[in-house]
């Protein structure tokens, strides 16, 4: 069907791509899954991360930054959380997936 639309509207239709990057909340969730943590354990931390907080606002170590945030200041980070947070910090800003959509005028 997509080929038909593109052929019929040649010059007025195209595929548009968007690169979706890891943000802090998703980076923490994905790395914690690799470590085998349950959704409940992961949610305890990731749901407390501020929605508006961006990695480029961080002034250094992810763990230190989380301990300064009001939403996560009271959380404890027993092992394996320090390692999870180190790995999460490394993937923030890297591509998570490519989103491709048809569009046109």
């Amino acid at each position: 069907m997509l080929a038909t639309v593109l052929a019929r509207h040649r010059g007025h239709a195209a595929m548009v791509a968007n690169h979706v990057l890891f943000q802090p909340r998703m980076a923490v969730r994905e790395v914690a899954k690799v470590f085998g943590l349950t959704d409940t354990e992961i949610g305890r931390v990731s749901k407390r991360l501020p929605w508006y907080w961006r990695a480029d606002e961080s002034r250094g170590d992810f763990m230190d930054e989380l301990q300064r945030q009001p939403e996560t200041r009271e959380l404890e980070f027993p092992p394996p959380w320090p390692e999870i947070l180190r790995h999460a910090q490394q993937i923030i800003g890297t591509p998570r997936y490519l989103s491709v959509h048809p569009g046109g005028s």
Side-chain angles (χ1 to χ4, degrees):
M1 176 156 167
L2 184 57
T4 303
V5 170
L6 291 174
R8 180 178 291 165
H9 301 283
R10 183 173 304 280
H12 297 283
M15 297 297 288
V16 180
N18 181 35
H19 294 89
V20 178
L21 307 178
F22 275 103
Q23 297 300 316
R25 289 173 67 109
M26 185 53 64
V28 169
R29 290 193 68 75
E30 292 299 314
V31 173
K33 287 178 191 177
V34 172
F35 276 76
L37 273 63
T38 66
D39 285 339
T40 303
E41 292 171 303
I42 296 168
R44 182 181 66 84
V45 172
S46 67
K47 289 178 182 176
R48 306 261 315 257
L49 292 175
W51 281 98
Y52 57 86
W53 185 52
R54 297 182 44 85
D56 57 358
E57 294 174 2
S58 181
R59 293 180 296 277
D61 184 59
F62 197 30
M63 175 78 107
D64 291 340
E65 187 66 29
L66 288 177
Q67 291 173 337
R68 283 192 293 268
Q69 295 289 323
E71 297 88 339
T72 53
R73 187 177 300 148
E74 303 299 320
L75 285 176
E76 293 180 20
F77 295 100
W81 280 104
E83 190 173 357
I84 290 170
L85 295 173
R86 276 193 302 278
H87 288 293
Q89 184 174 14
Q90 292 174 340
I91 68 169
I92 292 171
T94 62
R96 181 166 181 243
Y97 62 88
L98 179 65
S99 176
V100 181
H101 307 277
S105 61

